[in-house]
Amino acid sequence: MGSPLKHDHHVGEDRHVVRDDASGEEVGVVKQQEVYAFDESRKIGVTGAVFLILNKMIGTGIFSTPSGIFQSTGSVGVALMLWVIGGVLTFCGMSVFLEFGLAIPRSGGEKNYLERAYKHPKYLATCVLASQMILLGFSSGNSLAFGRYILFASGSESPDGWTARGIGIAGATFAVGIHAITPKWGIRLFNVLGVFKVIVLLFIVFSGFAALAGRRRVPNPHNFDNAFRIEEGEGYGNGGVYGYATALLRIIYSYKGWENANYVVGELKNPRKTLAIAAPLAIGGVTILYVLANVAYFAAIPKTELATSEVIVAGVFFRNVFGNSAGARALPAFVAISNLGNVLAVSFAHARLNQELAKEGLLPFSTFWASNKPFNAPAAALFLHWIVTVIVLVAPPAGPAYNFITDLYTYPGAWINAFVGIGLLYLQWNKRENWTSPWHTYFPITILYVLANVFLCIVPFIPPTGSWTAEGYPYYVFPIVGVGVLLLGGVYWGFWTKIFPAIGGYKVVAERTYDEEGHEVIRYRKVSTKHGHSGPID
């Protein structure tokens, strides 16, 4: 074992030294210091937190995924029930995350929760999460839907071609740019768009009521006749257990965002109160709107048309209800703007998580990715998010890519969520952990959440009863890629904690402290590994 380390801070010098008590030799010197301070005008209250959650939840999913969900199930009633189940699972997840978030009121979300529950091997859980969040935590699906709806509003119904992807890249660039350069305006914009997208969704719901009353431009599709009958028609049904699992995955994708405020707890006003009010309020409202919006779609879109409409479900709905008038063409543009709000919310939150991972020294060139320069915003972390988003947008071959992108985005999260739930069970039942939180999640709720995520982890590997390439790619691609990315995090952990320190003889360690005003200060120390220390220092 190495000798104890002590810290000497020399007043008036911009350096922080770590010395070995036995030899007095200097073993650590500050390489860089970052102060993360946000004035109160930048902090987010209950209203802002509600809109932060709403903006990520109400994104592309509810306007796009109902097609793939019905395509997989072949039943109107089953599809609606899955949306209700998705809402229940979201509330279960919310409870788990609230217990963690109110006990550990720091930005970072799952990163903090996994570190608290899985302390050994140290940093392994964090590296696995980092791999998933950085490589698969993109805004590509939302950006692609933004491009598709812009084209649909202009009169084009082309598939996921390069034009739509180019527009998506432009949308992602705008979102990242405004958050990096004028962060206050970024927050204001997604608050405004949060109100806007709720209005759009309410408009769809009430238009659906009108369609149920017979006010539509197409014949009655009779979708609610014997609604729970499972059918196999042109382009839908016959998905088997695999179909139900992928349908539920896409519903989970549509609900994703309920955890968004947990990523930015450090930027909330009175975090415990804000989070406890905002999360249930936002999730409850969204769940009701989602179920009613699906009723609206089924009231106006025939089954075959719904199954083949892909991303532009809401656009087809508007056309069937209002015809091909200029006004009807303008409505998909409103959905596109709503999608842009989702890109703004996702990039805002995921960049903060990327930054938290960098603050811990987990990433190559961590001091760069953790920086708040030059506008006191995580510009570098936003840029990292943008890079991955663009790569995922342009990597798939030309053709339908939306379902693949959303499946790839959602699937690894099921593994992470399962481990978060298991971690909470461990903390609650192991008295030696001294776990306390202002919020308590009851055992059955956590068990349901864990089992649902385990189901979503395993079933995508089961072959569908129909075509193995119904989506344009083999069914096993997204689960294999998802698991591979998680395993890559484990490989990275081995190199970062074992191999690189052994080869280089030193490592950079992040030291997190708080100054007198409560601002977070991160110091990065170059520490020798030749004094009996190998791997991260406790």
Side-chain angles (χ1 to χ4, degrees):
M1 296 293 292
S3 303
L5 298 178
K6 68 179 182 181
H7 304 275
D8 299 328
H9 182 64
H10 299 275
V11 178
E13 300 180 25
D14 188 21
R15 68 193 230 123
H16 185 80
V17 180
V18 182
R19 298 182 183 278
D20 189 295
D21 274 343
S23 65
E25 182 181 354
E26 183 178 296
V27 296
V29 179
V30 167
K31 294 181 63 185
Q32 184 173 335
Q33 176 171 308
E34 286 277 352
V35 178
Y36 298 87
F38 304 99
D39 58 61
E40 286 301 312
S41 66
R42 278 274 306 277
K43 290 196 172 182
I44 302 169
V46 172
T47 302
V50 168
F51 285 125
L52 181 63
I53 296 170
L54 285 177
N55 258 310
K56 190 175 179 186
M57 289 187 74
I58 307 175
T60 63
I62 190 58
F63 304 120
S64 303
T65 59
S67 170
I69 291 159
F70 175 70
Q71 183 186 71
S72 297
T73 60
S75 169
V76 173
V78 170
L80 290 174
M81 284 301 300
L82 286 177
W83 280 96
V84 174
I85 291 170
V88 171
L89 294 178
T90 299
F91 270 102
C92 293
M94 179 206 72
S95 185
V96 170
F97 274 59
L98 273 179
E99 179 159 349
F100 271 117
L102 299 185
I104 312 171
R106 290 203 312 267
S107 296
E110 298 100 312
K111 170 189 170 295
N112 301 321
Y113 316 152
L114 291 170
E115 287 177 348
R116 178 64 178 85
Y118 303 98
K119 297 178 181 178
H120 303 288
K122 192 168 185 180
Y123 294 119
L124 175 59
T126 310
C127 285
V128 172
L129 176 69
S131 181
Q132 184 247 336
M133 284 295 182
I134 292 172
L135 297 180
L136 299 179
F138 42 72
S139 298
S140 307
N142 309 317
S143 301
L144 177 59
F146 170 70
R148 286 292 304 275
Y149 271 102
I150 288 291
L151 290 176
F152 187 83
S154 68
S156 170
E157 296 186 35
S158 61
D160 298 336
W162 297 114
T163 303
R165 299 185 196 192
I167 296 171
I169 291 172
T173 303
F174 169 78
V176 166
I178 194 170
H179 284 317
I181 298 171
T182 59
K184 287 184 182 179
W185 280 102
I187 293 173
R188 290 168 184 165
L189 183 57
F190 71 59
N191 282 346
V192 171
L193 292 180
V195 175
F196 181 80
K197 62 176 57 180
V198 170
I199 293 173
V200 171
L201 198 51
L202 283 170
F203 185 78
I204 289 175
V205 169
F206 285 109
S207 299
F209 292 154
L212 284 171
R215 296 183 176 275
R216 55 184 174 268
R217 298 298 181 92
V218 295
N220 186 354
H222 296 287
N223 287 336
F224 297 105
D225 297 346
N226 198 1
F228 283 90
R229 182 176 66 245
I230 298 176
E231 303 178 57
E232 182 179 348
E234 185 180 345
Y236 63 89
N238 197 29
V241 177
Y242 174 86
Y244 288 105
T246 54
L248 190 55
L249 265 179
R250 289 165 189 171
I251 288 171
I252 296 299
Y253 172 80
S254 299
Y255 278 104
K256 277 191 75 67
W258 53 267
E259 76 284 19
N260 217 25
N262 289 70
Y263 293 143
V264 296
V265 172
E267 296 182 45
L268 299 180
K269 297 175 183 176
N270 192 353
R272 288 190 168 96
K273 177 182 176 182
T274 298
L275 198 58
I277 295 173
L281 191 62
I283 293 168
V286 168
T287 301
I288 294 170
L289 288 174
Y290 275 11
V291 174
L292 292 177
N294 274 274
V295 171
Y297 294 145
F298 285 119
I301 307 176
K303 292 175 181 176
T304 299
E305 189 176 21
L306 178 64
T308 57
S309 59
E310 295 181 340
V311 181
I312 51 176
V313 176
V316 173
F317 170 80
F318 288 136
R319 184 184 62 197
N320 288 4
V321 174
F322 300 103
N324 284 311
S325 64
R329 284 292 180 189
L331 292 172
F334 296 155
V335 177
I337 295 171
S338 171
N339 291 340
L340 181 61
N342 186 269
V343 177
L344 282 162
V346 172
S347 57
F348 179 86
H350 276 278
R352 266 65 183 176
L353 180 56
N354 290 346
Q355 187 183 48
E356 287 298 315
L357 294 168
K359 286 178 184 179
E360 298 288 349
L362 279 169
L363 307 182
F365 312 107
S366 281
T367 53
F368 171 73
W369 300 117
S371 175
N372 261 356
K373 298 174 182 177
F375 301 107
N376 197 26
L382 283 161
F383 178 59
L384 178 60
H385 178 79
W386 180 87
I387 291 173
V388 177
T389 294
V390 171
I391 290 173
V392 174
L393 268 174
V394 301
Y402 179 78
N403 285 338
F404 174 74
I405 289 174
T406 56
D407 291 343
L408 186 61
Y409 176 84
T410 311
Y411 176 75
W415 286 92
I416 299 297
N417 290 338
F419 278 106
V420 169
I422 293 169
L424 181 59
L425 291 173
Y426 166 76
L427 293 174
Q428 288 178 336
W429 285 84
N430 189 337
K431 302 304 180 184
R432 290 178 297 178
E433 291 288 343
N434 296 318
W435 174 253
T436 59
S437 174
W439 184 280
H440 179 71
T441 302
Y442 291 101
F443 180 77
I445 293 175
T446 310
I447 286 292
L448 177 61
Y449 183 64
V450 170
L451 291 178
N453 280 288
V454 169
F455 170 80
L456 293 174
C457 292
I458 295 173
V459 173
F461 285 100
I462 300 174
T465 55
S467 171
W468 283 22
T469 57
E471 300 282 355
Y473 55 89
Y475 75 93
Y476 50 79
V477 170
F478 77 82
I480 287 179
V481 172
V483 171
V485 167
L486 297 177
L487 293 176
L488 182 63
V491 173
Y492 179 77
W493 172 83
F495 276 90
W496 181 63
T497 62
K498 306 296 181 185
I499 297 175
F500 290 155
I503 294 174
Y506 72 89
K507 60 190 172 184
V508 176
V509 177
E511 181 183 79
R512 186 188 298 259
T513 59
Y514 294 87
D515 64 17
E516 294 177 355
E517 297 180 2
H519 299 147
E520 185 180 36
V521 180
I522 303 289
R523 294 187 179 94
Y524 298 93
R525 295 185 285 109
K526 181 185 283 189
V527 176
S528 172
T529 58
K530 297 178 181 178
H531 293 266
H533 293 279
S534 62
I537 293 178
D538 292 328

